[in-house]
Amino acid sequence: MNGHALESTDEKAVWTPRSIQAATFNAQAMRKTGSYIACAKQMFAHGIALLGIQEARPFQCGSQTIESGNGRYLVLSSAATAAGTHGCQLWVCLTTSWSSGEEAHRIPSTCVFILDSSPRFLLVRIKTPSVFLDVLVVHGPYIRDPNCEEDAFWADIASRVNARTASSPALLMLADANANLRSTKTADVYHRVAFEGFLAECGTREATRASTTGILVTVAYTHQTLPTTPLVDM
């Protein structure tokens, strides 16, 4: 993805945004000793600037800084439930430059803050003089989840996203939607309708997921149509 450059009348402040790597991962808990350092090392090894984690299961909301080798990361969290499930995190690499110019543009920890959260989602804003972006980390309900109905869940998330002001920036979604976009099974088709509706309501143009073979699958959407099969395989 490309960072979004804000307009500036100062020629010295003009910069060229570079492509940064973003990823999402269902961790099935980040409570084991060494999990955070291991995650930081993997992010650094793969050059990942933004990482969304579902089922991180942190004990509380808030933020903390993790350092490992040459990497430094801001970790923002939404707390797990009382039962110890769910909880989302966004990891922001503070040492990655978002500029391809000679002068580096890194994200200061003071320029990243939580807008909204619950055990199933985390909405974060990144705002610097040159980068303006909202990031949604979200974990959708699985089929016949007794504790979370998909229509109500995605409608609620859509209302929160669309409640942002008109001056809000673009939204990057890092999701484990539990929505099988390729399956033709009746149960899967009905289950993903709520998620596809969320994408359309929020104006999302594209969704990318990893297939069981590790191939990234991109599904493109328009306001007029919600295709049930991927349009692009990468």
Side-chain angles (χ1 to χ4, degrees), residues 141-159:
Y142 55 83
I143 294 178
R144 293 182 291 275
D145 187 336
N147 300 311
C148 186
E149 197 275 327
E150 61 264 27
D151 289 336
F153 175 80
W154 288 113
D156 177 63
I157 298 298
S159 68

Side-chain angles (χ1 to χ4, degrees), residues 53-69:
I53 297 181
Q54 299 82 26
E55 290 291 346
R57 303 176 187 174
F59 290 102
Q60 58 187 13
C61 295
S63 63
Q64 60 183 304
T65 302
I66 302 295
E67 296 190 28
S68 176

